[in-house]
């Protein structure tokens, strides 16, 4: 984008919801939001079953940590997607270069971290599901268990793509022509401004030396010889 600052133009530009929804970054955030709902929704609704006891246990090999971890990662991802969508809407209105840079770094760091946490979630759930003994209750919740595993894998890809998009925005940097140079303080090595060449006031009176007289013969001692 020509004349852009971290992927957005000059602050104060109008907001176009259609163009915003068409952006790959927005599509990835909405997809990640849906994936997180599927993961924690599947486990909350059908992830706890009765396995040889009246109490409810996690369908993933009766490992409560597996269900709790997936639910926690999914809920945080759900609210994070909402937060970053709101941030994307207001990002073009941020006039400070430093604030824009901080927002992009936050997006890049969080997306990369959550991509890794989804990877851990996928491996954790898949491993525990393989160790789960089959039974009537397990078979009943099998579809929900597999859905949580599958969408955990999809979340790895979507959050990794968002981290990549944020990195690309960070690499774009800032076109300083968008900002007035008078707003920046001079650096410590900047020189002092030049001395003004004139006061701007012109006068008609000028100094002139006395005219040279051919009849005056001034001696080195200051004695003036008379002329004949």
């Amino acid at each position: 984008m020509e004349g852009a600052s971290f992927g957005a133009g000059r602050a104060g530009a109008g907001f176009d919801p259609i163009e915003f929804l068409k952006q790959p970054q927005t599509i990835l955030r909405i997809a990640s939001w849906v994936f997180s709902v599927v993961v924690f929704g599947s486990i909350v609704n059908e992830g706890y079953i009765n396995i040889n006891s009246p109490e409810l246990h996690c369908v993933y090999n009766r490992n409560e940590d597996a269900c709790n971890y997936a639910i926690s990662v999914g809920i945080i991802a759900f609210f994070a997607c909402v937060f970053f969508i709101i941030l994307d809407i207001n990002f073009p209105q941020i006039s400070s270069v430093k604030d824009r840079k901080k927002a992009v770094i936050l997006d890049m760091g969080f997306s990369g971290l959550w991509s890794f946490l989804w990877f851990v979630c996928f491996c954790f759930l898949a491993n525990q599901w393989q160790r789960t003994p089959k039974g009537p209750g397990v078979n009943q919740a099998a579809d929900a268990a597999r859905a949580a595993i599958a969408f955990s894998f999809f979340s790895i890809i979507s959050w990794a793509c968002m981290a990549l998009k944020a990195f690309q925005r960070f690499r774009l940097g800032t076109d300083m022509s968008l900002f007035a140079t008078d707003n920046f303080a001079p650096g410590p090595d900047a020189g002092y401004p030049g001395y003004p060449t004139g006061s701007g006031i012109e006068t008609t009176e000028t100094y002139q030396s006395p005219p040279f007289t051919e009849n005056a013969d001034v001696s080195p001692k200051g004695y003036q010889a008379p002329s004949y």
Side-chain angles (χ1 to χ4, degrees):
M1 180 185 298
E2 184 178 358
S5 175
F6 295 103
R10 185 187 298 272
F15 174 72
D16 187 351
I18 304 300
E19 292 297 328
F20 177 76
L21 292 175
K22 290 181 180 180
Q23 294 179 0
Q25 182 175 301
T26 305
I27 297 174
L28 288 171
R29 296 204 194 283
I30 295 176
S32 299
W33 180 82
V34 174
F35 296 162
S36 65
V37 173
V38 173
V39 172
F40 76 78
S42 299
I43 296 176
V44 169
N45 292 329
E46 301 182 28
Y48 292 90
I49 59 177
N50 295 324
I51 304 178
N52 300 326
S53 68
E55 298 180 358
L56 294 176
H57 296 281
C58 179
V59 69
Y60 297 100
N61 197 28
R62 303 184 64 175
N63 190 337
E64 304 298 328
D65 292 337
C67 288
N68 293 336
Y69 180 83
I71 292 173
S72 299
V73 173
I75 291 178
I76 296 176
F78 173 87
F79 288 107
C81 290
V82 175
F83 169 79
F84 281 111
I85 288 175
I86 297 174
L87 180 62
D88 290 341
I89 294 174
N90 294 277
F91 188 82
Q93 310 304 324
I94 300 176
S95 58
S96 173
V97 179
K98 293 182 179 180
D99 292 341
R100 286 191 177 190
K101 184 177 181 180
K102 291 178 182 178
V104 173
I105 292 176
L106 175 63
D107 184 8
M108 180 173 56
F110 187 90
S111 298
L113 174 63
W114 235 249
S115 179
F116 172 75
L117 293 181
W118 276 122
F119 173 76
V120 175
C121 181
F122 168 75
C123 295
F124 194 9
L125 295 182
N127 177 264
Q128 293 301 308
W129 179 247
Q130 290 178 349
R131 298 182 179 183
T132 302
K134 301 300 185 264
V138 174
N139 294 334
Q140 183 179 357
D143 292 339
R146 294 191 186 99
I149 295 173
F151 283 91
S152 295
F153 177 77
F154 297 153
S155 296
I156 299 172
I157 300 174
S158 63
W159 283 93
C161 290
M162 286 191 292
L164 179 60
K165 293 294 294 183
F167 178 71
Q168 291 175 348
R169 293 165 63 193
F170 181 78
R171 288 286 303 272
L172 286 175
T174 302
D175 184 358
M176 299 308 296
S177 63
L178 295 175
F179 304 91
T181 56
D182 295 339
N183 295 332
F184 299 92
D189 298 332
Y192 290 97
Y195 187 83
T197 57
S199 61
I201 302 176
E202 297 181 358
T203 59
T204 57
E205 297 181 359
T206 56
Y207 175 76
Q208 295 181 354
S209 59
F212 177 78
T213 57
E214 297 179 354
N215 297 329
D217 184 11
V218 182
S219 64
K221 297 182 178 180
Y223 174 75
Q224 183 175 358
S227 58
Y228 299 98

